[in-house]
Amino acid sequence: MTMTTDAAAAQGEAAGKPVWSSQLGFILAAAGSAVGLGNIWKFPYMTGENGGGAFVLVYLGCIALVGIPALMTEMLVGRRGGHSPIQSVRDVVAEARAPRAWGWIGIISTLAAFLTLAFYSVVAGWAMPFVGHSIAGFDAADPEAVQALFPNLLAAPDQLLMWHTVFMVMTIFISARGINRGIEAAVKVMMPTLVLILMLLIGYSAVMNMDSLRQAVVFLFRPNFGALTTESTLSALGHAFFTLSLASGSMLAYGSYLSKSTPIVRTAVTVAAVDTAVALMAGLAIFPLVFQYGMEPAAGPGLVFATLPLAFAQMPGGDILGPVFFILLVIAAWTSSLSMIESVVEWLQEKGIGRTASAILAGGAAWALGILCLLSLNVMSGFAPLSFIPALEDKGMMDALDYIVTNVLMPLGALALAIFVGYIMPKDALRDELSTSARAFGIVRGMIRTITPIGILVIFLTNLI
Ligand code: TRP
């Protein structure tokens, strides 16, 4: 392991290992991973449930102090290893002559990505029938029927299965085409489209009902600390991890295709900034509609599937904006699922399996697990598979997976990785990877050694007590 990363990259390229064709390509792919259902579906409803502005502030703090440094650790370990998350972590651990147990970080991460893909595909599948519903037009005269669409969908396993399958096939299809011809080509079209759609939606509110846009701005940005609980602080941190695709192999895997010349510090900040901007834009796109039509911002997971359709039913131009919004959701989810499947695909490829077969295998396995998730929404709704664990007592398959991944696997993996990079990885190796000014290096390393792990730990402990 004395080989420099440049030499490793050159060797990798010679061996047919792909590299992002440009920095922009990587930024779009990583931002595509980060920007997902987490931003457009989860963030607005979490903000609604946790009282708005104060939650947003805590979330921004978590992104800046914990999320960004953690994002850097993943990109740099991925690039230094140059392999799948499982192998890259092993390589970097070997290079540091550290105990092999650290290698578990790669395994935990890949597992988190795989489990996430299973339920993520189910949720992404919810958005697709709504593209159709909104093209057909929501019936303003019958609000009850509009609101029933979502619960009816959740109650119909055949529908859920069909859309879950469609979404997984879409994911496998792009993933099978590889890093450059698949992922990079896709995100170059999809990410600009996504931003355009958000601007269109916000622009609509600015033109049609400036007052509710103003109300949305107040809701998102005026902190009301009374509404902040320990639990909402914990979910802000958990969400910061989820939305940056951290501790889940995605960024380790994407980092492994990075060229040595890409500046990690600046790139990580850019990716986090794009992700945060998109989350706030989603809030600014969604809440004006919610307020305009006198609806409840704290509507929970049903916010975009049950509440918004009512707004689309009533507003002028809703038959155009509705489909556009749900297409936005599908695109956002698609660019994320590409990154979840990548950690597993890259690992299978290392086992000598071809790219297409790897994508089919990884996607197929996640698809099968996803079926259990979607059944937990209806036929098996009373069944809590992990009820012997107190925190999961009343959680069905889907909620249990979401809980385990977001609140356990991810913080644990990120904590271990921050400690490893901050205290165990040789300082020179870290400096070599970050290749930034001495001052910036000091600050970044200092954060990775202190605020980042402490932040994760404190929230972890508060949760236990
Ligand atoms: N960050 C994505 C979102 O906000 C989700 C995501 C992408 C993810 N890759 C991941 C979540 C890996 C967990 C694990 O929707």
Side-chain angles (χ1 to χ4, degrees), residues 408-422:
V408 183
L409 290 183
M410 288 190 175
L412 218 59
L415 180 62
L417 194 65
I419 294 176
F420 178 80
V421 172

Side-chain angles (χ1 to χ4, degrees), residues 33-39 112-113 116 120 242-245 248 250 336 339-340 405 410:
S33 166
V35 172
L37 295 170
N39 304 61
T116 308
Y120 204 81
F242 188 85
T243 191
L244 290 180
S245 312
S248 55
S250 292
S336 294
S339 75
M340 290 172 205
V405 171
M410 288 190 175

Side-chain angles (χ1 to χ4, degrees), residues 236-294:
L237 183 83
H239 187 63
F241 276 100
F242 188 85
T243 191
L244 290 180
S245 312
L246 287 174
S248 55
S250 292
M251 294 297 178
L252 285 167
Y254 277 8
S256 74
Y257 305 111
L258 262 178
S259 85
K260 178 73 184 168
S261 60
T262 302
I264 297 262
V265 175
R266 206 180 341 130
T267 311
V269 173
T270 309
V271 170
V274 172
D275 182 69
T276 306
V278 170
L280 294 175
M281 283 172 82
L284 288 177
I286 289 172
F287 287 119
L289 307 179
V290 171
F291 293 130
Q292 173 79 13
Y293 296 97

Side-chain angles (χ1 to χ4, degrees), residues 83-106:
H83 293 106
S84 70
I86 292 181
Q87 192 55 44
S88 288
V89 172
R90 273 194 197 133
D91 290 352
V92 176
V93 167
E95 185 195 31
R97 301 180 190 284
R100 288 175 57 180
W102 288 101
W104 275 96
I105 298 174

Side-chain angles (χ1 to χ4, degrees), residues 32 108 122 139 152 176 181 199 214 219 242 317 369 373 402 411 437:
I108 293 183
V122 174
D139 184 2
N152 288 348
R181 281 173 55 244
M199 294 196 331
R214 228 175 258 131
F219 181 74
F242 188 85
L369 187 60
C373 288
D402 186 11
S437 69

